[in-house]
Each structure stands twice: as C-alpha cells, then as structure tokens.
Amino acid sequence: MNLYLFFLTKKCIMDWITVRDEAVRQVLEQDRAGKSGSNKKRRTQILEKELTLGDIFAVILKRFWLIVLCAVIGLSGAYIGTTYFMTKQYTASTSLFVRSDSDNKTAQALATDLNISMRLVDTYMVILKSDSVLSEVANKLNLGYSAGDIRKMIKTSPVEETEVINVSVTNPNPAHAQLIANTIAETAPAEIIRVVKVGSVEILDKAKLPSAPSSPNVKINSLIGLLAGLVLSILVSLLLEMINTSVKGEEDLREKYPSCPILGNIPNMDESK
C-alpha cells in the first residue's frame, strides 16, 4: 500500500512538472521569436503567482467533479490493491507466566522476587527467540520452517508491570500461526528454567485459531487511498491554476496590468438576450 501511494504521488508530481515545463517552454519559444518583453512578465507570473483563500475555494469548486473522481479512483485503487493483491496475514497469540520459587518466603522476599522477575522479562524474551528454542520448535513442527523463518514471524512483548510475556505469531496460514505459537509456549519454558533458574514457567493462555486477518487493514488502507486521491487532486488543481496566466475578466486584467488603461468591454451577446 505504501508503495502504491509512493508511485501515485510521484506520478502527480511528474504530471505537474510536465505541465509547468510545457508552459515555460512555450514562453521561451516566443522569446526566441522576439516577444521577450511581454513574455518575461508572463514567465514571472507562471513561477511566482500566488493564490488567495478565495481563489483556492474557487479552484476547488471549478474542478469539483474532477477532485471527486480522483478521490473515488484513490479509494477504489486502495481497496482493490489491498483486497486482491496484498497477502493476508493472521496473528495468533499465547502468553506465559514466569515466577520464582515462592515457598516459605516472606512478603518482602516475594516483593523482591517480583521486581527481579519483571526486570528479567527482557532476558526471557531473548531466550524465546534463541536458536536453541526455535530450532527445537522447527523440528517439532516439521512444516518446512527454519529457526530463522520462525524468528521473523514472532513478536514478544511484556505485559506491563507483570511477569507475563505475550508471544504473537503472524503467518499467512492461520492454522500455522496457531500451531507455531502453541509449540513455542510448550517448548520455551524448559529452556527459560534451564538458563535463568527460575521457579516455573506456565502457559497462561493458549493460542486460538485466528478467524480474521490481522493485516492488511482494508478500511484504513481504503481511507488512505481516498485521502491521497483527494489531496493530490486538489494540489494538482491548484498548481494548474498557478501556471495558468490567461486573463479571465476585467478585474483579472487590472490586477495583472495595473498600468494599462482599459479601453472598453465586449458584451456577452448571450447574456444580453
């Protein structure tokens, strides 16, 4: 999705540059034809024209349907790209509770053990991702995954101010995600106890089969596509307006050429009828 937005933005910018360069090229050709005086002013107008807030709203209203069309195209493109071209990922999570041996200990000692265990949570997470644990998990699964493959799938995080570790596994296959998470939960405790010498490691929650993909998020990506189409179409409309130096009326003529007197107006015959 990010790649799609990148190329969409790049295309809009390149289109604007092409339009602007074409306008400047026409001015330069007229310069070579001997009209350098008036074209110098026009070139300055092309490159330095400023839009007021009223002008911006006028441009938006003028190109309203084009802006809406671009927004719909952005929305549709993001939805189609997310739904049909991005691989769905499923996440299954399990949690482990690590505690020290608390038999016959005072309350103060228990509090000390709790603090120590909380500080060791980072160590537990490193052990969970170690080759010794993940290689054993890969051998038990026998699904063709290596320890490195499984390491890329898992994410570990501590549950705030507790001795609980959450292990999440993301995989395109929901059954594999569940199986890998539960196998890690069954394999890791023995290795954690062996290395850290803690009292015990227990499975708090087993992983369940994911019923819906965790990514990509169709709604969020579609909204991003809608906003991208909307913003880019407005920007391109404003840029096209800035490089447009044509005279649109008497007030526009007075603004661009204040020193030139207006000799007369040509009435609109349709309006007079």
Side-chain angles (χ1 to χ4, degrees):
M1 184 61 204
N2 291 335
L3 188 62
Y4 163 77
L5 292 178
F6 168 76
F7 282 114
L8 181 62
T9 305
K10 180 180 177 182
K11 183 180 184 304
C12 290
I13 293 175
M14 294 304 297
D15 288 345
W16 169 72
I17 292 175
T18 301
V19 173
R20 189 199 66 176
D21 288 348
E22 177 63 22
V24 174
R25 184 186 65 79
Q26 293 176 2
V27 172
L28 293 176
E29 288 180 353
Q30 293 178 4
D31 283 348
R32 287 192 290 268
K35 300 178 181 179
S36 58
S38 61
N39 287 330
K40 182 177 180 181
K41 181 181 293 186
R42 184 167 178 242
R43 188 186 305 114
T44 302
Q45 292 170 352
I46 290 176
L47 299 178
E48 297 182 359
K49 183 178 179 181
E50 296 181 359
L51 295 177
T52 64
L53 188 60
D55 293 333
I56 293 175
F57 283 113
V59 171
I60 293 175
L61 290 176
K62 177 182 176 182
R63 303 179 186 271
F64 178 75
W65 291 112
L66 176 62
I67 293 172
V68 171
L69 177 62
C70 291
V72 172
I73 291 174
L75 173 65
S76 303
Y79 176 81
I80 293 172
T82 302
T83 304
Y84 298 103
F85 296 100
M86 296 183 71
T87 303
K88 292 180 174 62
Q89 299 289 337
Y90 296 83
T91 301
S93 299
T94 183
S95 55
L96 301 174
F97 176 69
V98 185
R99 66 177 181 179
S100 59
D101 187 2
S102 58
D103 293 341
N104 301 321
K105 288 190 176 182
T106 64
Q108 183 176 1
L110 289 173
T112 301
D113 287 344
L114 177 61
N115 290 332
I116 292 173
S117 296
M118 289 169 57
R119 289 197 296 270
L120 286 172
V121 165
D122 288 341
T123 302
Y124 304 153
M125 291 191 296
V126 171
I127 296 172
L128 280 170
K129 293 183 177 181
S130 65
D131 285 336
S132 59
V133 172
L134 298 184
S135 294
E136 186 175 350
V137 170
N139 292 333
K140 287 182 178 180
L141 291 170
N142 196 26
L143 294 175
Y145 298 120
S146 66
D149 294 333
I150 297 175
R151 185 177 294 109
K152 294 176 183 177
M153 301 177 196
I154 65 175
K155 180 181 179 182
T156 58
S157 59
V159 178
E160 201 169 324
E161 297 183 357
T162 66
E163 298 169 90
V164 178
I165 303 172
N166 187 66
V167 182
S168 299
V169 178
T170 302
N171 191 287
N173 188 318
H176 286 191
Q178 179 193 28
L179 186 57
I180 293 171
N182 285 332
T183 305
I184 291 174
E186 294 167 1
T187 306
E191 189 68 13
I192 293 176
I193 292 172
R194 183 187 70 81
V195 175
V196 187
K197 303 298 189 291
V198 295
S200 64
V201 180
E202 299 179 3
I203 300 175
L204 192 61
D205 289 313
K206 284 193 173 183
K208 298 178 181 179
L209 183 67
S211 59
S214 56
S215 67
N217 192 315
V218 177
K219 291 182 179 180
I220 296 297
N221 288 353
S222 299
L223 180 60
I224 292 174
L226 173 67
L227 294 177
L230 188 66
V231 171
L232 291 175
S233 60
I234 291 175
L235 288 177
V236 171
S237 297
L238 293 175
L239 291 172
L240 290 175
E241 185 67 19
M242 291 179 67
I243 64 175
N244 183 5
T245 59
S246 60
V247 176
K248 304 174 184 64
E250 181 178 340
E251 292 301 323
D252 195 18
L253 186 62
R254 291 182 185 279
E255 180 183 344
K256 291 179 179 179
Y257 305 97
S259 61
C260 297
I262 296 177
L263 301 179
N265 290 326
I266 300 176
N268 190 328
M269 301 303 294
D270 293 335
E271 292 182 357
S272 63
K273 294 179 182 180

